């Protein structure tokens, strides 16, 4: 069995070369997400192809940063405050039984946090959820996604 390794261009990715998140920031909706809001330090986006309603991604928007520990304490505090605000909005709108906050970046090393709602009929109750159980082949219908994004936007603006 061949071992899995980091891509040959990992150092460049960590430095932000060709970062798809940097390229997508400030440009609104795309094939992966519907924009919800732009905060002081982060953008909130609703995932298009999720089996879990309300799955959001909060993305650092002030230049390429790979690790939260690269932020100064004030920036870090503001980032996490915006992540938690997104979580509160998801809880208020979708009423999950639990929220998971995942700050990964193992493929795209740009600081972002997945706000992942877990539900009563969850495919992996009480445990970690596989990526395959999160994503759907087909996107959520456009009108429904935009309705959800507007609801979340309203909750974040209060």
């Amino acid at each position: 069995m061949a071992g899995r390794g980091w891509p040959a261009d990992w150092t460049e990715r960590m430095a932000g070369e060709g970062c798809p998140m940097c390229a997508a920031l400030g440009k609104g909706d795309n094939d992966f997400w519907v924009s919800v809001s732009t905060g002081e330090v982060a953008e909130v986006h609703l995932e298009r192809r999720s089996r879990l309603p309300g799955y959001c991604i909060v993305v650092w928007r002030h230049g390429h940063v790979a690790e939260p520990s690269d932020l100064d304490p004030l920036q870090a505090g503001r980032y996490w405050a915006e992540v938690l605000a997104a979580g509160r909005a998801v809880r208020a709108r979708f009423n999950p039984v639990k929220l998971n906050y995942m700050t990964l970046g193992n493929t795209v090393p740009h600081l972002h946090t997945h706000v992942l709602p877990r539900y009563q009929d969850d495919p992996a109750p009480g445990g970690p959820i596989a990526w395959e159980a999160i994503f759907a082949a087909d996107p959520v219908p456009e009108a429904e996604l935009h309705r959800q994004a507007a609801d979340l936007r309203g909750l974040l603006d209060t």
Side-chain angles (χ1 to χ4, degrees):
M1 181 167 135
R4 216 176 137 161
W6 294 102
D9 67 343
W10 186 248
T11 301
E12 292 80 8
R13 288 186 195 193
M14 287 290 288
E17 291 181 27
C19 177
M21 286 195 178
C22 286
L25 287 167
K27 295 186 177 150
D29 302 351
N30 62 31
D31 289 342
F32 302 102
W33 63 43
V34 169
S35 291
V36 172
S37 69
T38 300
E40 182 182 329
V41 299
E43 292 183 2
V44 178
H45 304 282
L46 191 59
E47 176 64 41
R48 283 187 180 278
R49 289 175 180 81
S50 177
R51 292 184 172 133
L52 303 171
Y55 169 25
C56 288
I57 302 169
V58 181
V59 184
W60 175 259
R61 69 182 194 92
H62 291 293
H64 187 82
V65 170
E67 301 291 347
S69 58
D70 292 338
L71 301 174
D72 71 41
L74 290 174
Q75 293 171 319
R78 190 66 204 141
Y79 177 76
W80 293 115
E82 291 186 23
V83 169
L84 295 175
R88 282 193 285 287
V90 169
R91 282 181 64 198
R93 168 59 175 82
F94 295 96
N95 197 31
V97 297
K98 178 71 175 92
L99 283 177
N100 291 169
Y101 297 87
M102 301 184 304
T103 303
L104 303 172
N106 298 319
T107 302
V108 179
H110 182 111
L111 177 58
H112 64 286
T113 301
H114 302 258
V115 178
L116 191 67
R118 307 290 297 270
Y119 293 98
Q120 195 66 40
D121 62 350
D122 198 276
I129 191 167
W131 284 111
E132 300 79 29
I134 297 170
F135 294 102
D138 297 320
V140 175
E142 195 75 12
E144 178 59 23
L145 269 176
H146 283 278
R147 191 169 26 260
Q148 292 174 6
D151 292 347
L152 290 171
R153 192 174 304 115
L155 290 164
L156 286 166
D157 288 343
T158 58

